[in-house]
Amino acid sequence: MRVLVMGGTWFLGRHIVEQALARGWAVTTFNRGRSKPDVTGVHAIRGDRTVLKDLKQLAAAGPWNAVVDTSSSEMAPRDVLMAVRALRPRAARWVHVSTVSVYEGWPHRLLTEGSRVLDCPADADASFGYTGPDGSPTTYGFQKAGAERAVSETFGDQSVLLRPGVILGPGEYVGRLPWWLNRAAVGGDILAPGPPGRRIQPVDVRDVAGFALDQCAEASTGPLNVAHPEGITFSDFLEASLGVSGGVGRFVWARPEVLADHGVKQWTELPLWRTHRGVWAVDCSRAVQAGLRCRPIAETVADTWAWLQSDGRPVDHPRWAEHGIGRDKEAEVLADLL
């Protein structure tokens, strides 16, 4: 199997490359070489995917059985369209990593692959779309929907659209799970967003990587929601973080209205917390039928802590700084609860 990975040097892309090499596949990566070194054993090609000349030079290195695209999150749809058109003659299949944010109803309603998707042209530029007053929909969601359209229109039934929600695990650059782990390690009274029994569905990056590679060789087509089918309660998630970090403390659970009164920002100040009913109501049964297998989330928590303790260093990314409540603000909320 010959596979081209767009990106391939950090987090999901790196795990995809490592697993592909472990399968004995011939792997080409295409990136600018600015984030991290390529994995040993790949054929690394340098270039900018928004430059047609670079894409044409890349195409000359083909053909490939499949392309796995992990690097389009910041790309306008028209840039994705340019890439898929340039590579279509040299690639039999395209596995595209997208997001649940493409759904018109996210995060308000239960989502299946049949849910309505935001409308964005395949040739839209970076200005297309808008963010709603309550944070839904998002410009990001519109852009990703347009990118999906570019892939589908070009590769047809040889395209697979993976729509994950939250991806966690070793190498995470966003900072959600690392923040909870580092906060748990400090211990003491730890502010936690209630209710404790609410189930969340983050998925391990290694499981997403394996599933993406499986789709290179399978007959699946179209969209696949990628989320943890069993999930984990928020209480068990936080207790796992406390346990593996060795922190000595307790969680103090706050009702959503208490957090709102103190202006605690959902999704960022207390990572993974959001009150919208659909945020963790993603139907992934089609992906499970297609072979998605997810390890227990507690294992993801433990392995991420081990990575952090082994001098794990994520790629510098501005989203890392967005996550986590300040200690003064946390103490203020805790004072009202205790």
Side-chain angles (χ1 to χ4, degrees), residues 7-54:
T9 61
W10 50 292
F11 200 41
L12 177 58
R14 193 172 195 86
H15 283 286
I16 287 172
V17 168
E18 290 173 346
Q19 291 189 31
L21 291 172
R23 296 184 185 198
W25 293 6
V27 181
T28 301
T29 58
F30 181 67
N31 55 67
R32 294 174 298 178
R34 297 179 182 177
S35 298
K36 283 194 171 185
D38 281 277
V39 178
T40 301
V42 305
H43 176 207
I45 298 177
R46 296 283 179 256
D48 187 333
R49 60 175 296 168
T50 66
V51 177
L52 183 57
K53 178 182 177 182
D54 290 358

mmCIF file of all heavy atoms in Angstrom, residues 7-54:
data_model
loop_
_atom_site.group_PDB
_atom_site.id
_atom_site.type_symbol
_atom_site.label_atom_id
_atom_site.label_comp_id
_atom_site.label_asym_id
_atom_site.label_seq_id
_atom_site.Cartn_x
_atom_site.Cartn_y
_atom_site.Cartn_z
ATOM 1 N N GLY A 7 0.574 16.537 5.691
ATOM 2 C CA GLY A 7 0.957 16.839 7.065
ATOM 3 C C GLY A 7 1.915 15.754 7.532
ATOM 4 O O GLY A 7 2.978 15.554 6.949
ATOM 5 N N GLY A 8 1.532 15.080 8.617
ATOM 6 C CA GLY A 8 2.271 13.893 9.014
ATOM 7 C C GLY A 8 3.367 14.069 10.030
ATOM 8 O O GLY A 8 4.102 13.111 10.305
ATOM 9 N N THR A 9 3.499 15.262 10.649
ATOM 10 C CA THR A 9 4.608 15.436 11.593
ATOM 11 C C THR A 9 4.171 15.591 13.045
ATOM 12 O O THR A 9 5.003 15.499 13.939
ATOM 13 C CB THR A 9 5.452 16.672 11.211
ATOM 14 O OG1 THR A 9 4.641 17.842 11.258
ATOM 15 C CG2 THR A 9 6.065 16.503 9.833
ATOM 16 N N TRP A 10 2.865 15.836 13.300
ATOM 17 C CA TRP A 10 2.463 16.035 14.691
ATOM 18 C C TRP A 10 1.038 15.559 14.932
ATOM 19 O O TRP A 10 0.231 15.486 14.028
ATOM 20 C CB TRP A 10 2.657 17.467 15.152
ATOM 21 C CG TRP A 10 2.103 18.551 14.277
ATOM 22 C CD1 TRP A 10 2.546 18.899 13.031
ATOM 23 C CD2 TRP A 10 1.042 19.451 14.579
ATOM 24 N NE1 TRP A 10 1.818 19.960 12.542
ATOM 25 C CE2 TRP A 10 0.893 20.328 13.477
ATOM 26 C CE3 TRP A 10 0.214 19.631 15.679
ATOM 27 C CZ2 TRP A 10 -0.057 21.343 13.431
ATOM 28 C CZ3 TRP A 10 -0.733 20.655 15.644
ATOM 29 C CH2 TRP A 10 -0.857 21.488 14.539
ATOM 30 N N PHE A 11 0.809 15.174 16.159
ATOM 31 C CA PHE A 11 -0.443 14.646 16.685
ATOM 32 C C PHE A 11 -1.063 13.623 15.734
ATOM 33 O O PHE A 11 -0.443 12.597 15.475
ATOM 34 C CB PHE A 11 -1.404 15.782 17.033
ATOM 35 C CG PHE A 11 -2.499 15.361 18.001
ATOM 36 C CD1 PHE A 11 -2.207 14.519 19.077
ATOM 37 C CD2 PHE A 11 -3.810 15.799 17.853
ATOM 38 C CE1 PHE A 11 -3.203 14.131 19.969
ATOM 39 C CE2 PHE A 11 -4.806 15.423 18.739
ATOM 40 C CZ PHE A 11 -4.500 14.590 19.795
ATOM 41 N N LEU A 12 -2.272 13.856 15.214
ATOM 42 C CA LEU A 12 -2.937 12.826 14.431
ATOM 43 C C LEU A 12 -2.105 12.406 13.226
ATOM 44 O O LEU A 12 -1.955 11.209 12.952
ATOM 45 C CB LEU A 12 -4.319 13.319 13.979
ATOM 46 C CG LEU A 12 -5.110 12.360 13.094
ATOM 47 C CD1 LEU A 12 -5.334 11.025 13.772
ATOM 48 C CD2 LEU A 12 -6.441 12.988 12.680
ATOM 49 N N GLY A 13 -1.570 13.372 12.499
ATOM 50 C CA GLY A 13 -0.790 13.025 11.324
ATOM 51 C C GLY A 13 0.402 12.144 11.647
ATOM 52 O O GLY A 13 0.713 11.193 10.918
ATOM 53 N N ARG A 14 1.072 12.443 12.751
ATOM 54 C CA ARG A 14 2.242 11.652 13.128
ATOM 55 C C ARG A 14 1.852 10.227 13.513
ATOM 56 O O ARG A 14 2.526 9.260 13.142
ATOM 57 C CB ARG A 14 2.988 12.335 14.275
ATOM 58 C CG ARG A 14 4.386 11.760 14.524
ATOM 59 C CD ARG A 14 5.178 12.575 15.521
ATOM 60 N NE ARG A 14 6.587 12.235 15.498
ATOM 61 C CZ ARG A 14 7.489 12.758 14.687
ATOM 62 N NH1 ARG A 14 7.118 13.672 13.805
ATOM 63 N NH2 ARG A 14 8.755 12.382 14.726
ATOM 64 N N HIS A 15 0.749 10.089 14.258
ATOM 65 C CA HIS A 15 0.284 8.749 14.620
ATOM 66 C C HIS A 15 -0.120 7.955 13.384
ATOM 67 O O HIS A 15 0.119 6.746 13.305
ATOM 68 C CB HIS A 15 -0.883 8.851 15.603
ATOM 69 C CG HIS A 15 -0.474 9.175 17.003
ATOM 70 N ND1 HIS A 15 0.123 8.245 17.836
ATOM 71 C CD2 HIS A 15 -0.579 10.316 17.723
ATOM 72 C CE1 HIS A 15 0.367 8.799 19.009
ATOM 73 N NE2 HIS A 15 -0.039 10.055 18.967
ATOM 74 N N ILE A 16 -0.731 8.625 12.408
ATOM 75 C CA ILE A 16 -1.090 7.944 11.168
ATOM 76 C C ILE A 16 0.156 7.433 10.460
ATOM 77 O O ILE A 16 0.214 6.281 10.011
ATOM 78 C CB ILE A 16 -1.890 8.895 10.256
ATOM 79 C CG1 ILE A 16 -3.307 9.090 10.808
ATOM 80 C CG2 ILE A 16 -1.943 8.376 8.823
ATOM 81 C CD1 ILE A 16 -4.108 10.156 10.093
ATOM 82 N N VAL A 17 1.178 8.275 10.376
ATOM 83 C CA VAL A 17 2.418 7.874 9.711
ATOM 84 C C VAL A 17 3.070 6.708 10.437
ATOM 85 O O VAL A 17 3.483 5.707 9.814
ATOM 86 C CB VAL A 17 3.386 9.069 9.623
ATOM 87 C CG1 VAL A 17 4.773 8.604 9.211
ATOM 88 C CG2 VAL A 17 2.858 10.105 8.639
ATOM 89 N N GLU A 18 3.171 6.792 11.750
ATOM 90 C CA GLU A 18 3.819 5.725 12.516
ATOM 91 C C GLU A 18 3.085 4.400 12.348
ATOM 92 O O GLU A 18 3.712 3.341 12.189
ATOM 93 C CB GLU A 18 3.897 6.123 13.992
ATOM 94 C CG GLU A 18 4.879 7.258 14.258
ATOM 95 C CD GLU A 18 4.833 7.772 15.683
ATOM 96 O OE1 GLU A 18 3.862 7.445 16.417
ATOM 97 O OE2 GLU A 18 5.757 8.504 16.078
ATOM 98 N N GLN A 19 1.763 4.447 12.385
ATOM 99 C CA GLN A 19 1.005 3.210 12.240
ATOM 100 C C GLN A 19 1.074 2.661 10.812
ATOM 101 O O GLN A 19 1.109 1.439 10.608
ATOM 102 C CB GLN A 19 -0.443 3.426 12.661
ATOM 103 C CG GLN A 19 -0.620 3.651 14.156
ATOM 104 C CD GLN A 19 -2.074 3.637 14.578
ATOM 105 O OE1 GLN A 19 -2.910 2.951 13.996
ATOM 106 N NE2 GLN A 19 -2.395 4.418 15.606
ATOM 107 N N ALA A 20 1.103 3.551 9.833
ATOM 108 C CA ALA A 20 1.219 3.095 8.448
ATOM 109 C C ALA A 20 2.557 2.397 8.210
ATOM 110 O O ALA A 20 2.625 1.346 7.559
ATOM 111 C CB ALA A 20 1.056 4.276 7.491
ATOM 112 N N LEU A 21 3.627 2.974 8.748
ATOM 113 C CA LEU A 21 4.945 2.343 8.627
ATOM 114 C C LEU A 21 4.965 0.994 9.333
ATOM 115 O O LEU A 21 5.559 0.025 8.838
ATOM 116 C CB LEU A 21 6.022 3.265 9.199
ATOM 117 C CG LEU A 21 6.309 4.541 8.410
ATOM 118 C CD1 LEU A 21 7.258 5.453 9.185
ATOM 119 C CD2 LEU A 21 6.897 4.226 7.031
ATOM 120 N N ALA A 22 4.307 0.924 10.491
ATOM 121 C CA ALA A 22 4.253 -0.338 11.230
ATOM 122 C C ALA A 22 3.506 -1.411 10.442
ATOM 123 O O ALA A 22 3.758 -2.613 10.628
ATOM 124 C CB ALA A 22 3.586 -0.126 12.591
ATOM 125 N N ARG A 23 2.602 -1.005 9.569
ATOM 126 C CA ARG A 23 1.881 -1.954 8.720
ATOM 127 C C ARG A 23 2.703 -2.372 7.503
ATOM 128 O O ARG A 23 2.264 -3.197 6.700
ATOM 129 C CB ARG A 23 0.564 -1.344 8.246
ATOM 130 C CG ARG A 23 -0.430 -1.043 9.361
ATOM 131 C CD ARG A 23 -1.750 -0.523 8.800
ATOM 132 N NE ARG A 23 -2.672 -0.132 9.860
ATOM 133 C CZ ARG A 23 -3.983 0.028 9.692
ATOM 134 N NH1 ARG A 23 -4.533 -0.155 8.500
ATOM 135 N NH2 ARG A 23 -4.757 0.383 10.706
ATOM 136 N N GLY A 24 3.862 -1.758 7.348
ATOM 137 C CA GLY A 24 4.697 -2.073 6.199
ATOM 138 C C GLY A 24 4.349 -1.286 4.945
ATOM 139 O O GLY A 24 4.792 -1.639 3.849
ATOM 140 N N TRP A 25 3.596 -0.202 5.087
ATOM 141 C CA TRP A 25 3.193 0.595 3.941
ATOM 142 C C TRP A 25 4.312 1.558 3.531
ATOM 143 O O TRP A 25 5.156 1.962 4.356
ATOM 144 C CB TRP A 25 1.942 1.408 4.262
ATOM 145 C CG TRP A 25 0.709 0.582 4.485
ATOM 146 C CD1 TRP A 25 0.617 -0.782 4.541
ATOM 147 C CD2 TRP A 25 -0.614 1.074 4.684
ATOM 148 N NE1 TRP A 25 -0.669 -1.168 4.766
ATOM 149 C CE2 TRP A 25 -1.457 -0.052 4.863
ATOM 150 C CE3 TRP A 25 -1.181 2.344 4.736
ATOM 151 C CZ2 TRP A 25 -2.825 0.067 5.078
ATOM 152 C CZ3 TRP A 25 -2.547 2.469 4.954
ATOM 153 C CH2 TRP A 25 -3.361 1.339 5.118
ATOM 154 N N ALA A 26 4.307 1.943 2.283
ATOM 155 C CA ALA A 26 5.217 2.979 1.787
ATOM 156 C C ALA A 26 4.527 4.328 1.994
ATOM 157 O O ALA A 26 3.431 4.560 1.475
ATOM 158 C CB ALA A 26 5.523 2.753 0.314
ATOM 159 N N VAL A 27 5.175 5.211 2.759
ATOM 160 C CA VAL A 27 4.533 6.454 3.178
ATOM 161 C C VAL A 27 5.279 7.667 2.629
ATOM 162 O O VAL A 27 6.496 7.803 2.826
ATOM 163 C CB VAL A 27 4.466 6.556 4.716
ATOM 164 C CG1 VAL A 27 3.769 7.851 5.139
ATOM 165 C CG2 VAL A 27 3.751 5.349 5.304
ATOM 166 N N THR A 28 4.543 8.538 1.968
ATOM 167 C CA THR A 28 5.041 9.845 1.559
ATOM 168 C C THR A 28 4.353 10.896 2.422
ATOM 169 O O THR A 28 3.160 10.794 2.688
ATOM 170 C CB THR A 28 4.716 10.132 0.081
ATOM 171 O OG1 THR A 28 5.309 9.119 -0.732
ATOM 172 C CG2 THR A 28 5.239 11.499 -0.344
ATOM 173 N N THR A 29 5.100 11.876 2.887
ATOM 174 C CA THR A 29 4.495 12.995 3.606
ATOM 175 C C THR A 29 4.747 14.278 2.825
ATOM 176 O O THR A 29 5.757 14.421 2.136
ATOM 177 C CB THR A 29 5.068 13.150 5.025
ATOM 178 O OG1 THR A 29 6.492 13.333 4.954
ATOM 179 C CG2 THR A 29 4.755 11.938 5.883
ATOM 180 N N PHE A 30 3.796 15.202 2.971
ATOM 181 C CA PHE A 30 3.922 16.492 2.295
ATOM 182 C C PHE A 30 3.612 17.587 3.298
ATOM 183 O O PHE A 30 2.505 17.670 3.843
ATOM 184 C CB PHE A 30 2.957 16.578 1.113
ATOM 185 C CG PHE A 30 3.039 17.870 0.351
ATOM 186 C CD1 PHE A 30 4.176 18.194 -0.377
ATOM 187 C CD2 PHE A 30 1.973 18.764 0.352
ATOM 188 C CE1 PHE A 30 4.254 19.395 -1.083
ATOM 189 C CE2 PHE A 30 2.035 19.964 -0.359
ATOM 190 C CZ PHE A 30 3.186 20.277 -1.081
ATOM 191 N N ASN A 31 4.605 18.412 3.589
ATOM 192 C CA ASN A 31 4.435 19.505 4.546
ATOM 193 C C ASN A 31 5.548 20.523 4.323
ATOM 194 O O ASN A 31 6.466 20.300 3.527
ATOM 195 C CB ASN A 31 4.436 18.982 5.989
ATOM 196 C CG ASN A 31 5.676 18.160 6.300
ATOM 197 O OD1 ASN A 31 6.779 18.687 6.336
ATOM 198 N ND2 ASN A 31 5.502 16.854 6.507
ATOM 199 N N ARG A 32 5.457 21.630 5.064
ATOM 200 C CA ARG A 32 6.444 22.700 4.905
ATOM 201 C C ARG A 32 7.695 22.484 5.742
ATOM 202 O O ARG A 32 8.659 23.252 5.628
ATOM 203 C CB ARG A 32 5.801 24.045 5.254
ATOM 204 C CG ARG A 32 4.707 24.464 4.300
ATOM 205 C CD ARG A 32 4.008 25.722 4.747
ATOM 206 N NE ARG A 32 3.343 25.541 6.036
ATOM 207 C CZ ARG A 32 2.693 26.503 6.681
ATOM 208 N NH1 ARG A 32 2.632 27.728 6.172
ATOM 209 N NH2 ARG A 32 2.117 26.259 7.835
ATOM 210 N N GLY A 33 7.682 21.502 6.630
ATOM 211 C CA GLY A 33 8.846 21.220 7.464
ATOM 212 C C GLY A 33 9.067 22.212 8.575
ATOM 213 O O GLY A 33 10.193 22.394 9.044
ATOM 214 N N ARG A 34 7.989 22.833 9.079
ATOM 215 C CA ARG A 34 8.132 23.888 10.083
ATOM 216 C C ARG A 34 7.737 23.455 11.496
ATOM 217 O O ARG A 34 8.049 24.161 12.457
ATOM 218 C CB ARG A 34 7.279 25.091 9.682
ATOM 219 C CG ARG A 34 7.700 25.750 8.375
ATOM 220 C CD ARG A 34 6.789 26.921 8.042
ATOM 221 N NE ARG A 34 7.142 27.552 6.770
ATOM 222 C CZ ARG A 34 6.477 28.559 6.227
ATOM 223 N NH1 ARG A 34 5.407 29.055 6.845
ATOM 224 N NH2 ARG A 34 6.855 29.067 5.072
ATOM 225 N N SER A 35 7.015 22.358 11.631
ATOM 226 C CA SER A 35 6.494 21.985 12.947
ATOM 227 C C SER A 35 7.433 21.044 13.683
ATOM 228 O O SER A 35 8.060 21.404 14.670
ATOM 229 C CB SER A 35 5.106 21.344 12.798
ATOM 230 O OG SER A 35 4.203 22.264 12.228
ATOM 231 N N LYS A 36 7.542 19.827 13.181
ATOM 232 C CA LYS A 36 8.427 18.838 13.774
ATOM 233 C C LYS A 36 9.067 18.034 12.654
ATOM 234 O O LYS A 36 8.571 18.032 11.520
ATOM 235 C CB LYS A 36 7.644 17.911 14.713
ATOM 236 C CG LYS A 36 7.322 18.537 16.067
ATOM 237 C CD LYS A 36 6.861 17.474 17.051
ATOM 238 C CE LYS A 36 6.750 18.051 18.458
ATOM 239 N NZ LYS A 36 6.420 17.018 19.457
ATOM 240 N N PRO A 37 10.155 17.315 12.966
ATOM 241 C CA PRO A 37 10.777 16.495 11.924
ATOM 242 C C PRO A 37 9.832 15.381 11.472
ATOM 243 O O PRO A 37 8.982 14.915 12.230
ATOM 244 C CB PRO A 37 12.016 15.921 12.621
ATOM 245 C CG PRO A 37 12.253 16.795 13.807
ATOM 246 C CD PRO A 37 10.908 17.283 14.231
ATOM 247 N N ASP A 38 9.984 14.961 10.244
ATOM 248 C CA ASP A 38 9.215 13.824 9.758
ATOM 249 C C ASP A 38 9.662 12.551 10.459
ATOM 250 O O ASP A 38 10.791 12.436 10.956
ATOM 251 C CB ASP A 38 9.399 13.666 8.251
ATOM 252 C CG ASP A 38 8.545 14.641 7.472
ATOM 253 O OD1 ASP A 38 7.360 14.336 7.266
ATOM 254 O OD2 ASP A 38 9.067 15.703 7.069
ATOM 255 N N VAL A 39 8.760 11.579 10.507
ATOM 256 C CA VAL A 39 9.064 10.279 11.086
ATOM 257 C C VAL A 39 10.094 9.575 10.206
ATOM 258 O O VAL A 39 9.997 9.589 8.974
ATOM 259 C CB VAL A 39 7.790 9.425 11.198
ATOM 260 C CG1 VAL A 39 8.115 8.044 11.761
ATOM 261 C CG2 VAL A 39 6.754 10.135 12.071
ATOM 262 N N THR A 40 11.078 8.964 10.842
ATOM 263 C CA THR A 40 12.094 8.215 10.097
ATOM 264 C C THR A 40 11.440 7.095 9.297
ATOM 265 O O THR A 40 10.618 6.335 9.831
ATOM 266 C CB THR A 40 13.131 7.619 11.061
ATOM 267 O OG1 THR A 40 13.751 8.676 11.795
ATOM 268 C CG2 THR A 40 14.191 6.840 10.305
ATOM 269 N N GLY A 41 11.789 7.006 8.037
ATOM 270 C CA GLY A 41 11.258 5.940 7.194
ATOM 271 C C GLY A 41 10.298 6.424 6.128
ATOM 272 O O GLY A 41 9.911 5.655 5.242
ATOM 273 N N VAL A 42 9.894 7.708 6.201
ATOM 274 C CA VAL A 42 8.973 8.224 5.187
ATOM 275 C C VAL A 42 9.766 8.850 4.044
ATOM 276 O O VAL A 42 10.945 9.189 4.182
ATOM 277 C CB VAL A 42 8.012 9.280 5.779
ATOM 278 C CG1 VAL A 42 7.273 8.725 6.980
ATOM 279 C CG2 VAL A 42 8.750 10.573 6.140
ATOM 280 N N HIS A 43 9.083 9.029 2.918
ATOM 281 C CA HIS A 43 9.610 9.842 1.827
ATOM 282 C C HIS A 43 9.019 11.226 2.010
ATOM 283 O O HIS A 43 7.827 11.454 1.711
ATOM 284 C CB HIS A 43 9.223 9.244 0.473
ATOM 285 C CG HIS A 43 9.647 10.080 -0.695
ATOM 286 N ND1 HIS A 43 8.988 10.076 -1.903
ATOM 287 C CD2 HIS A 43 10.683 10.962 -0.834
ATOM 288 C CE1 HIS A 43 9.576 10.922 -2.732
ATOM 289 N NE2 HIS A 43 10.612 11.460 -2.106
ATOM 290 N N ALA A 44 9.798 12.142 2.539
ATOM 291 C CA ALA A 44 9.303 13.474 2.875
ATOM 292 C C ALA A 44 9.491 14.421 1.699
ATOM 293 O O ALA A 44 10.595 14.548 1.163
ATOM 294 C CB ALA A 44 10.033 14.009 4.095
ATOM 295 N N ILE A 45 8.412 15.076 1.333
ATOM 296 C CA ILE A 45 8.442 16.083 0.269
ATOM 297 C C ILE A 45 8.022 17.408 0.870
ATOM 298 O O ILE A 45 6.986 17.497 1.531
ATOM 299 C CB ILE A 45 7.505 15.699 -0.896
ATOM 300 C CG1 ILE A 45 7.961 14.377 -1.517
ATOM 301 C CG2 ILE A 45 7.471 16.806 -1.943
ATOM 302 C CD1 ILE A 45 7.050 13.879 -2.626
ATOM 303 N N ARG A 46 8.822 18.427 0.656
ATOM 304 C CA ARG A 46 8.538 19.744 1.209
ATOM 305 C C ARG A 46 7.750 20.580 0.190
ATOM 306 O O ARG A 46 8.009 20.520 -1.019
ATOM 307 C CB ARG A 46 9.841 20.475 1.564
ATOM 308 C CG ARG A 46 10.628 19.796 2.651
ATOM 309 C CD ARG A 46 10.001 20.063 4.013
ATOM 310 N NE ARG A 46 10.760 19.377 5.051
ATOM 311 C CZ ARG A 46 10.363 18.265 5.649
ATOM 312 N NH1 ARG A 46 9.212 17.704 5.314
ATOM 313 N NH2 ARG A 46 11.098 17.715 6.585
ATOM 314 N N GLY A 47 6.828 21.359 0.729
ATOM 315 C CA GLY A 47 6.068 22.246 -0.129
ATOM 316 C C GLY A 47 4.896 22.854 0.598
ATOM 317 O O GLY A 47 4.566 22.472 1.730
ATOM 318 N N ASP A 48 4.258 23.803 -0.041
ATOM 319 C CA ASP A 48 3.106 24.515 0.490
ATOM 320 C C ASP A 48 1.875 24.069 -0.295
ATOM 321 O O ASP A 48 1.797 24.263 -1.510
ATOM 322 C CB ASP A 48 3.324 26.020 0.339
ATOM 323 C CG ASP A 48 2.245 26.850 1.017
ATOM 324 O OD1 ASP A 48 1.109 26.361 1.162
ATOM 325 O OD2 ASP A 48 2.538 28.005 1.385
ATOM 326 N N ARG A 49 0.899 23.513 0.397
ATOM 327 C CA ARG A 49 -0.254 22.959 -0.300
ATOM 328 C C ARG A 49 -1.175 24.034 -0.865
ATOM 329 O O ARG A 49 -2.127 23.715 -1.584
ATOM 330 C CB ARG A 49 -1.041 22.016 0.614
ATOM 331 C CG ARG A 49 -1.582 22.655 1.868
ATOM 332 C CD ARG A 49 -2.440 21.666 2.650
ATOM 333 N NE ARG A 49 -3.624 21.280 1.899
ATOM 334 C CZ ARG A 49 -4.419 20.274 2.237
ATOM 335 N NH1 ARG A 49 -4.146 19.545 3.305
ATOM 336 N NH2 ARG A 49 -5.494 20.010 1.532
ATOM 337 N N THR A 50 -0.912 25.281 -0.554
ATOM 338 C CA THR A 50 -1.702 26.362 -1.154
ATOM 339 C C THR A 50 -1.040 26.919 -2.408
ATOM 340 O O THR A 50 -1.543 27.888 -2.993
ATOM 341 C CB THR A 50 -1.919 27.500 -0.145
ATOM 342 O OG1 THR A 50 -0.667 28.123 0.158
ATOM 343 C CG2 THR A 50 -2.548 26.987 1.149
ATOM 344 N N VAL A 51 0.052 26.315 -2.834
ATOM 345 C CA VAL A 51 0.782 26.763 -4.025
ATOM 346 C C VAL A 51 0.662 25.680 -5.097
ATOM 347 O O VAL A 51 1.122 24.552 -4.901
ATOM 348 C CB VAL A 51 2.260 27.034 -3.702
ATOM 349 C CG1 VAL A 51 3.031 27.421 -4.958
ATOM 350 C CG2 VAL A 51 2.380 28.127 -2.639
ATOM 351 N N LEU A 52 0.053 26.008 -6.215
ATOM 352 C CA LEU A 52 -0.213 25.012 -7.252
ATOM 353 C C LEU A 52 1.074 24.387 -7.785
ATOM 354 O O LEU A 52 1.119 23.176 -8.044
ATOM 355 C CB LEU A 52 -1.000 25.657 -8.398
ATOM 356 C CG LEU A 52 -1.417 24.714 -9.529
ATOM 357 C CD1 LEU A 52 -2.251 23.557 -9.005
ATOM 358 C CD2 LEU A 52 -2.177 25.489 -10.605
ATOM 359 N N LYS A 53 2.114 25.167 -7.936
ATOM 360 C CA LYS A 53 3.390 24.624 -8.431
ATOM 361 C C LYS A 53 3.888 23.521 -7.510
ATOM 362 O O LYS A 53 4.365 22.469 -7.973
ATOM 363 C CB LYS A 53 4.428 25.744 -8.535
ATOM 364 C CG LYS A 53 5.799 25.273 -8.993
ATOM 365 C CD LYS A 53 6.791 26.432 -9.016
ATOM 366 C CE LYS A 53 8.186 25.952 -9.397
ATOM 367 N NZ LYS A 53 9.179 27.077 -9.380
ATOM 368 N N ASP A 54 3.794 23.731 -6.196
ATOM 369 C CA ASP A 54 4.240 22.718 -5.243
ATOM 370 C C ASP A 54 3.384 21.457 -5.336
ATOM 371 O O ASP A 54 3.889 20.330 -5.216
ATOM 372 C CB ASP A 54 4.191 23.265 -3.820
ATOM 373 C CG ASP A 54 5.241 24.334 -3.567
ATOM 374 O OD1 ASP A 54 6.028 24.628 -4.495
ATOM 375 O OD2 ASP A 54 5.277 24.887 -2.454
#
